[in-house]
Amino acid sequence: MVLAKVIGTVVSAHKEERLAGVRFLLLDKINPATMQGKGDLVVAIDGLDAGPGEIVFFVAGSSARLTAVTDGKPTDATIIAIVDNIEIGGKYVYQKDKA
Amino acid sequence: MVLAKVIGTVVSAHKEERLAGVRFLLLDKINPATMQGKGDLVVAIDGLDAGPGEIVFFVAGSSARLTAVTDGKPTDATIIAIVDNIEIGGKYVYQKDKA
Amino acid sequence: MVLAKVIGTVVSAHKEERLAGVRFLLLDKINPATMQGKGDLVVAIDGLDAGPGEIVFFVAGSSARLTAVTDGKPTDATIIAIVDNIEIGGKYVYQKDKA
Amino acid sequence: MVLAKVIGTVVSAHKEERLAGVRFLLLDKINPATMQGKGDLVVAIDGLDAGPGEIVFFVAGSSARLTAVTDGKPTDATIIAIVDNIEIGGKYVYQKDKA
Amino acid sequence: MVLAKVIGTVVSAHKEERLAGVRFLLLDKINPATMQGKGDLVVAIDGLDAGPGEIVFFVAGSSARLTAVTDGKPTDATIIAIVDNIEIGGKYVYQKDKA
C-alpha cells in the first residue's frame, strides 16, 4: 500500500454507471521519511470520508475492489486507512493528533 | 485511477476477436496540478464517447474489464469518467464548462 | 494498452509446459508522438502473426490471458492488435499502408 | 517479489473493516547488491511477526491475498518471507545470523 | 514478460507456509539489445531448475501462479522459460549454446 495525502477532489457526472454515488479524491503520494508530497497524483475512491490534508494509504490493483464501498466496481485505487501514526526507527515521523 | 487528456485515436483491423467494435483512444497522462500532459501515452478503451481534448480518468488492471463495454474483454486501461471539475486545496484547477 | 514495435523473437525449448507451441516476440515500446522506440523491451505472446517492424499494441496483466491463444496460460503481455493508423490532434502520425 | 528492510510501523484506527487486527509495517526496498535502502517506501501487511531491521521480501498484486493472514483482505503488499541468506555469484551478500 | 539473468539465490526458513519447498532465485533484468544487466533485481520462484548465469524470462502478476510449481501460491514473479536464442532485426544477440 502507498501513503498519500488528500489534496483535492475530482467530480464527474458522465461516468461508468457502476460508479454512481462514489466519491473520488485526489491524492499526492508522500515520502514518509520526510512527509513531503512527491507530486505523483492519483485518483482514488474514498470509503472512509477522508478529508483534505489527511494522511491515508490506499490499495492498488484488484484488491481495490475488496472494500465495503467498492465491491464489484471498476477501481484500481481505494483508500483503506486514515493514518494515525507513522513511526520510523523508533521515532514518530507523523502523529495525526499533533499535525 | 489516472487523469489524462484524450489526444488521438488508434485504429486496428487485425485484432483479437473479442475486441471487435471497440473504440481505442490515445491518452496523455496529465499532472493535474498544472494540467499539462506528461508525454506518457496509453491506449485505452472508450465506453463513454469521450472526445478529443476532454479530460478523463481511466482504470488500469483487471478492473478495466468491469464496465458496460469491456466485460470479458482483454483490456488493461478503460476510460471510466469524463471529468467535470478538479479541485486542489479548495481551488478549481479545471472546470470543463470553462475550458 | 501500450504501443510497441516488433523488433525480434525469443526462443525457448525449456519452458513451463502450458506455453508449448506459443510464439514469443520481442517488442520495443514506442512513443507514438515520435514513433521512436523507447529502448524499453518486453517479451509478449503473439496470437496475430505479427511480423518484424509492425506496430502493435499489447495488453498487460490478467487480461493478457483473455485471448484465443492465451486462455489459461501464464502470460502478462499479449499482442492484441496490429495497428493500421494512429492519429494525434487530427493528423496521422502513423499509417501502416504508407510505412 | 521484492527485497526490503523493515524500517517502521503505520497505525490506523479508522480503516476498512476487513483490515481489523492487521499489522502494517513500513518497508524500504533494498538493492541486494549493496544491501542499501532505495528510499522507496511501501506499507505491507505482516503475517510473520517481522521486526525492525529485518530483511524480508513481500509479494505484490492479487497474490498478496494468498497468505494465512490476508485471505480476502484488501492488500497489494504482504510480507511472505523473512530472509536468512542472499547469495550473489557464489558469495553471501547477506547472512541474517551475522548481521 | 521480462528477460533477466539468474545471479543468485535467496533463502528463507521463516516464510508463508504455502511457500514450503519453493526455490527462490535472484534475477537481474537485462536489456536484450546489449545483454547487460540493469541492476534492477527481483526475487522469482523457479520451477525450471534454472542455474546461475542463465538467461530466462519470468511472468509477473496473477499469471505467476499459473505454473506447475506455483498453483495457488503467493507469487508475483515466476520463471517460465530458459532462453535459447534472442534475435533482434534478424541477428542473434544471444545464443545459449555459444554463450
Side-chain angles (χ1 to χ4, degrees):
Chain A
M1 281 67 70
V2 175
L3 289 159
K5 181 186 258 191
V6 179
I7 64 163
T9 54
V10 178
V11 174
S12 164
H14 186 185
K15 62 194 169 202
E16 158 64 25
E17 58 192 13
R18 295 172 217 193
L19 295 172
V22 167
R23 187 170 172 240
F24 300 103
L25 292 182
L26 192 61
L27 308 183
D28 188 7
K29 297 177 189 174
I30 63 166
N31 176 354
T34 61
M35 294 303 292
Q36 297 299 302
K38 293 181 171 180
D40 185 3
L41 277 53
V42 62
V43 178
I45 292 183
D46 172 38
L48 298 175
D49 279 321
E54 284 193 307
I55 302 297
V56 300
F57 61 78
F58 66 92
V59 65
S62 58
S63 283
R65 298 193 297 269
L66 296 185
T67 74
V69 300
T70 57
D71 186 48
K73 296 190 196 303
T75 174
D76 59 14
T78 304
I79 296 171
I80 54 173
I82 297 175
V83 173
D84 293 310
N85 300 308
I86 303 172
E87 165 267 321
I88 297 179
K91 294 183 188 170
Y92 286 114
V93 295
Y94 174 74
Q95 293 175 280
K96 190 184 177 185
D97 58 6
K98 296 189 180 172
Chain B
M1 280 68 69
V2 175
L3 289 158
K5 180 188 259 191
V6 179
I7 65 163
T9 54
V10 178
V11 174
S12 165
H14 187 183
K15 62 194 168 200
E16 157 66 24
E17 57 192 14
R18 294 172 218 194
L19 294 173
V22 167
R23 188 171 172 239
F24 300 103
L25 293 182
L26 192 61
L27 308 182
D28 187 7
K29 297 177 191 174
I30 63 166
N31 177 353
T34 62
M35 295 301 293
Q36 296 299 300
K38 293 181 171 181
D40 186 2
L41 277 54
V42 63
V43 178
I45 293 183
D46 172 38
L48 299 174
D49 279 320
E54 284 193 307
I55 302 298
V56 300
F57 61 77
F58 66 91
V59 65
S62 58
S63 282
R65 298 193 297 268
L66 297 184
T67 74
V69 299
T70 58
D71 186 48
K73 295 190 196 305
T75 175
D76 60 14
T78 304
I79 295 171
I80 53 173
I82 297 176
V83 173
D84 292 309
N85 300 307
I86 303 172
E87 166 266 322
I88 297 179
K91 294 184 188 170
Y92 285 115
V93 295
Y94 174 74
Q95 293 175 282
K96 190 184 177 186
D97 59 5
K98 296 188 180 172
Chain C
M1 281 68 70
V2 175
L3 289 158
K5 180 187 260 191
V6 179
I7 64 163
T9 54
V10 179
V11 174
S12 165
H14 187 184
K15 61 196 170 200
E16 158 65 23
E17 57 192 16
R18 294 172 218 194
L19 295 172
V22 167
R23 189 172 171 238
F24 300 103
L25 292 182
L26 192 61
L27 309 182
D28 187 8
K29 297 177 190 174
I30 63 166
N31 176 354
T34 62
M35 294 302 293
Q36 296 300 301
K38 293 181 171 179
D40 185 2
L41 276 54
V42 63
V43 178
I45 293 184
D46 172 37
L48 298 175
D49 279 319
E54 284 193 307
I55 301 298
V56 300
F57 60 78
F58 65 93
V59 64
S62 58
S63 283
R65 298 193 298 268
L66 297 184
T67 73
V69 299
T70 58
D71 187 47
K73 297 190 195 305
T75 174
D76 60 13
T78 304
I79 295 172
I80 53 172
I82 297 176
V83 173
D84 293 308
N85 300 307
I86 303 173
E87 166 267 321
I88 298 179
K91 295 184 188 169
Y92 285 115
V93 295
Y94 174 74
Q95 292 175 281
K96 190 184 177 184
D97 58 7
K98 296 190 180 172
Chain D
M1 281 67 69
V2 175
L3 289 159
K5 180 186 258 190
V6 179
I7 64 163
T9 53
V10 179
V11 174
S12 164
H14 186 185
K15 62 194 168 202
E16 159 64 24
E17 59 191 14
R18 295 172 216 192
L19 295 172
V22 167
R23 187 169 173 241
F24 299 103
L25 293 182
L26 192 61
L27 308 182
D28 188 6
K29 297 177 189 174
I30 63 166
N31 177 354
T34 62
M35 295 301 294
Q36 296 299 301
K38 293 182 171 179
D40 185 3
L41 278 52
V42 62
V43 179
I45 292 183
D46 173 39
L48 299 175
D49 279 321
E54 284 193 306
I55 302 298
V56 300
F57 60 78
F58 66 91
V59 65
S62 57
S63 283
R65 298 192 298 269
L66 296 185
T67 75
V69 299
T70 57
D71 186 48
K73 296 191 195 304
T75 174
D76 59 14
T78 303
I79 295 171
I80 54 172
I82 296 176
V83 173
D84 293 309
N85 299 308
I86 303 172
E87 165 267 321
I88 297 179
K91 295 184 188 171
Y92 286 115
V93 295
Y94 174 75
Q95 292 176 281
K96 190 184 177 185
D97 58 7
K98 297 189 179 173
Chain E
M1 281 68 70
V2 175
L3 289 158
K5 181 187 257 190
V6 179
I7 65 163
T9 54
V10 179
V11 175
S12 165
H14 187 185
K15 62 195 168 201
E16 159 65 24
E17 58 191 15
R18 294 173 217 193
L19 294 173
V22 167
R23 187 169 171 240
F24 299 103
L25 293 182
L26 192 60
L27 308 182
D28 188 7
K29 297 177 190 174
I30 62 165
N31 177 353
T34 62
M35 294 301 293
Q36 296 299 301
K38 293 181 172 180
D40 185 2
L41 278 52
V42 62
V43 178
I45 293 184
D46 173 38
L48 298 175
D49 279 320
E54 284 194 306
I55 302 298
V56 300
F57 60 78
F58 65 92
V59 65
S62 58
S63 283
R65 298 193 297 269
L66 296 185
T67 75
V69 300
T70 57
D71 186 47
K73 296 192 195 304
T75 174
D76 60 14
T78 304
I79 295 171
I80 53 172
I82 297 176
V83 173
D84 292 309
N85 300 307
I86 303 172
E87 165 266 322
I88 298 180
K91 295 183 188 170
Y92 286 114
V93 295
Y94 174 75
Q95 293 175 281
K96 190 183 177 185
D97 58 7
K98 296 190 180 173

